[in-house]
Amino acid sequence: MTQLLINGRIRAVLLLLMVLVFAGAAMTSEKPAYQLYDRNGEKITYDHLVNLAQNKDLVFFGELHDNAIAHWLQLELLKDLHADTTRSLAIGMEMFERDQQILIDEYFAGHISNRSFESEARLWQNYETDYAPVVEFARENDLRLLATNIPRRYASAVYSHGLAVLDSLNAEAKDWIAPLPVEVDTTLPGYRDILEAAQGHGGENLIYSQAVKDATMAHSIISAINDSTGMLHLNGSYHSNNYEGIVWYVNRKAEGVTILTINTISADEINNVDAGLLQAADITLVVDSDMTRTY
């Protein structure tokens, strides 16, 4: 196990070095690794993105889960938001489920080892390369890290049995999901697209299982932020694009919260992107399609 952890960290370091070299080339050559755009199709700088993010209560960084540039920029944005001393910062992650919060808290407090944390936390397959740097930065800088997602077993139960299955859970289990009943708008385009992509498999329950994830993440976020605390939330782009998913639930439950959304896409020509691809979020991160995937 120790050797596997060492090998995983070596791979993470090598990948980060590769990303830094690739991104550094963007400053000195004609082959930049990425480009940022606003909704109007205007190119913006990373510094402008940081400025926008500093003035919002919530920043949703929608990622492609296997995109190295997106993960690198998430870490850089986290560092720069943390450097803003005018208010505190929390980070939320789709990649952790609410029943794992105790493991995060125990690890950050030094009560359990990294080895124990990683062996018990049901980590995603790309944790070492993509999320461990974020987690470790949060731990080393005393940032609050929130596991925002619903335990996957409950989302799976909804997929199999519908929303009513949540009513049968005990009180402790219900603490790990959004308050019941969970409101679901099955007509939202994002949910309809998911159903279409699945060719109808799962029916409305597929939408419900997605919605309980979004509702639970929104509930986790709303419960954590206040006037003096902002949050950077990491999630798949489909959870926040078009101000649907998590953002839809946040806007229904937390009036007046200011939000910035970021979408990640891949393109062959990052300096010549169709305007229609830039409408899903406030800011779109366009990554060269040749960029190495992390898995």
Side-chain angles (χ1 to χ4, degrees), residues 78 82 89-91 108 137-145:
L78 174 61
H82 172 61
L89 176 70
I91 181 163
F108 279 28
F137 181 84
R139 182 182 65 85
E140 292 165 5
N141 290 276
D142 296 321
L143 291 178
R144 187 180 182 192
L145 190 150

Side-chain angles (χ1 to χ4, degrees), residues 187-205:
T187 68
L188 289 174
Y191 291 153
R192 302 313 300 183
D193 289 345
I194 290 172
L195 188 59
E196 182 179 347
Q199 298 181 330
H201 294 298
E204 298 288 271
N205 282 356

